[in-house]
Amino acid sequence: MDWQALEAQYYHPAFRRFPVTLVRGEGARVWDDQGRSYLDFTAGIAVTALGHADPELADAVAAQVRAIAHISNLFYTTPQLEVAQRLVDNSALDRVFFVNSGAEASETCIKIARKWGQQQRDGAYEIITADHGFHGRTLATTAATGTAAYQAPFAPMPAGFTHVPYNDLDAVDDSISPQTVGVMVETFQGEGGMRPADPAYIRGLRRICDDQGVLLILDEVQTGVGRTGRLWGYEHFGVTPDIMGLAKGLGGGLPIGAVLSTEAASVLVPGEHGSTFGGNPVACAAARVVLDRVTAPDFLAEVQAKGAHVMQRLRAQAEAGMRITDVRGLGLMIGFDLETPDETTRLVAQARERGVLLITAGPVTLRIVPPLTIGMAELDEGLDAIAEARRA
Ligand SMILES: Cc1ncc(COP(=O)(O)O)c(C=O)c1O
C-alpha cells in the first residue's frame, strides 16, 4: 500500500510528515511498514513515557475497554477518580479537571484564570506569557503562544495576552496592570527552542504573582510527569503554581490532559466548563499505570542519570569539533543546537537513515525526548549514530 499517496489524496494537507509509516513499537524502538526498525528519540513528541506497547499499560487499557470505554462526565467513573487522587497526592495542588490534550489543558487554565479574575480582581482577564512559549493550537492558546506565523492565518486573535521575553523578571513586573489576572509560562520551554528557565526567574515569578495578587500558571504539558527528572518541572525551583496544565506524558500515548489548581483557584461551578471525553476511563486507565510507574522508587533518579549521560556525551561531541554550538537540558528533555537550519534539517534525515528518530524544536535546535524508560545502551546507540551522521 502506498500510504503517502493515500495521505496526499485524502488527508487535509496540514502536515509536513517524515517519509516513514510506523506500524509498531516496543520499548524505545519502532518499526515501519517495510520492517525497518528505528530507535525512538522523539517518544511521539515527548509523550510515550513508558515506551511503546508497554505490557502493563496495554493490559490496563484493554481491560478498561472491556469493562467500560466511555460514559461521560455525567457519571462517576473509577479510573478518573483514582488518577485525580494520585495527581493531587503527588503534587502541591488540590483539585483536578481532566481534558484531552495540551491545548485543551492550556485553554482550561485560561478559562479558570478568567473566572478567578471576575471573582477576585475586578474582572481582570489579561495573561502575561513569554516569547518563544508554546501553549497549543486552539484560538486562545494560539493567541497565548504569540508566534506570528501561527497567528497570522487565523487573525484576529482573541484579546487578553501580553508577551514578554522569557527569563526577564523586570519585563513581567513592568507589564502587570490592573487588567492582569496571571502569568503563564513553561518551566522549560519546549517547542520554542528547548530553553531552560533561570531558577531565579521561576522563583521571582512566584514572588511577583504573590506581591501583585495574580495567578502563577505553569504550563507543564511537556515538562510534567517526570520528563525533567522530577515529577513536575516546578520542583526544580522550590515554588508551586496556582494552576498547572498537563498532557503529553500523562497518558503514556493515550490522549489525556489535566489541569490542577489550588483550592482557591478551583473556581469552576457546574455548567461553566466541560469535556465529553475529558478523563475518559480508557485514557485514565493508562494514566494510572503511568503515574504508578513514574512515582515508583528510583524511576526519576534513573531519568536524571540518563539525561545527565546524554548531555555529557553531547558536550563531549561539541568539544570534539562536531559543530554543536550549545547543549541544554533537564532530565530527558534535551536540546542541542547546530550552526544552521540546513544542517539541522539534514541531521534529522541523516539520523533517520541511520535508524534514529530525531525531531527539531526551532530552526537550529534538535530535540532528544525519548521514552523515560529508554536504556543507557539504547541512548548510547542513538548518540553513536548521531555522531556518525555528524562525521559523514
Ligand atoms: C508546553 C506545551 N503546551 C501545550 C502544548 C499543546 O499540546 P497539544 O499538542 O496536546 O494540544 C504543547 C505541545 O507541544 C506544549 O509543549
Side-chain angles (χ1 to χ4, degrees):
M1 176 68 81
D2 186 344
W3 299 105
Q4 292 179 34
L6 214 62
E7 204 258 14
Q9 185 176 352
Y10 290 106
Y11 204 85
H12 200 123
F15 291 117
R16 196 178 304 113
R17 303 184 201 256
F18 298 124
V20 180
T21 304
L22 295 169
V23 293
R24 175 170 87 77
E26 197 180 317
R29 249 172 247 281
V30 291
W31 281 262
D32 72 12
D33 61 342
Q34 309 298 308
R36 169 137 202 239
S37 84
Y38 302 83
L39 198 51
D40 182 9
F41 271 15
T42 76
I45 322 185
V47 168
T48 49
L50 304 182
H52 298 280
D54 178 78
E56 193 189 352
L57 188 144
D59 286 349
V61 165
Q64 191 58 49
V65 173
R66 286 199 190 90
I68 186 165
H70 179 81
I71 193 65
S72 89
N73 282 306
L74 297 174
F75 301 91
Y76 296 91
T77 51
T78 56
Q80 182 185 87
L81 297 170
E82 288 169 338
V83 176
Q85 184 180 33
R86 281 164 171 75
L87 288 171
V88 168
D89 288 352
N90 287 289
S91 74
L93 295 148
D94 301 312
R95 291 184 180 275
V96 182
F97 188 97
F98 285 113
V99 293
N100 302 285
S101 68
E104 201 185 345
S106 302
E107 186 90 22
T108 301
C109 291
I110 294 164
K111 287 180 76 175
I112 291 174
R114 286 189 174 200
K115 169 82 191 289
W116 183 90
Q118 285 192 8
Q119 288 184 336
Q120 303 292 331
R121 215 173 136 81
D122 280 340
Y125 64 93
E126 276 179 13
I127 295 179
I128 297 173
T129 63
D131 293 344
H132 303 292
F134 188 85
H135 303 293
R137 300 288 203 154
T138 63
L139 211 47
T141 60
T142 299
T145 291
T147 304
Y150 298 161
Q151 295 187 345
F154 311 108
M157 285 291 111
F161 299 95
T162 305
H163 297 91
V164 296
Y166 194 59
N167 278 333
D168 184 341
L169 282 175
D170 290 341
V172 173
D173 231 351
D174 293 347
S175 302
I176 290 186
S177 77
Q179 286 305 319
T180 308
V181 74
V183 178
M184 178 161 78
V185 297
E186 294 150 87
T187 52
F188 186 115
Q189 289 189 324
E191 304 303 305
M194 305 298 272
R195 294 162 206 266
D198 295 337
Y201 177 64
I202 301 290
R203 285 191 213 118
L205 285 182
R206 179 68 277 175
R207 182 174 30 76
I208 291 172
C209 289
D210 287 342
D211 290 351
Q212 303 273 0
V214 302
L215 300 168
L216 178 60
I217 306 163
L218 293 181
D219 180 342
E220 296 241 21
V221 163
Q222 192 158 160
T223 50
V225 200
R227 174 58 54 191
T228 68
R230 298 280 183 96
L231 192 55
W232 317 118
Y234 69 70
E235 292 176 35
H236 292 277
F237 308 105
V239 300
T240 61
D242 300 296
I243 304 176
M244 168 167 81
L246 303 176
K248 290 209 182 261
L250 180 59
L254 275 281
I256 184 170
V259 175
L260 275 66
S261 45
T262 59
E263 193 63 49
S266 298
V267 291
L268 300 176
V269 298
E272 287 180 344
H273 194 48
S275 178
T276 297
F277 291 114
N280 160 290
V282 179
C284 284
R288 192 179 49 201
V289 173
V290 170
L291 286 172
D292 286 349
R293 293 266 288 281
V294 173
T295 57
D298 298 337
F299 188 97
L300 291 172
E302 282 172 26
V303 171
Q304 288 167 21
K306 289 184 264 196
H309 178 71
V310 174
M311 278 188 280
Q312 181 256 318
R313 279 209 55 186
L314 286 170
R315 290 195 174 116
Q317 290 185 8
E319 273 163 31
M322 286 200 205
R323 303 182 315 285
I324 292 173
T325 57
D326 196 24
V327 179
R328 302 176 291 279
L330 208 50
L332 280 171
M333 185 158 177
I334 297 166
F336 63 100
D337 290 351
L338 302 186
E339 282 165 0
T340 65
D342 258 11
E343 273 187 85
T344 310
T345 321
R346 217 172 325 122
L347 183 58
V348 171
Q350 290 168 327
R352 196 173 58 243
E353 281 154 23
R354 287 171 168 76
V356 179
L357 301 184
L358 259 190
I359 47 174
T360 58
V364 294
T365 305
L366 278 309
R367 168 160 44 169
I368 298 183
V369 284
L372 303 182
T373 49
I374 193 168
M376 280 288 191
E378 290 169 320
L379 287 170
D380 279 332
E381 179 189 329
L383 291 166
D384 288 345
I386 291 170
E388 223 179 81
R390 287 301 281 159
R391 272 189 229 105

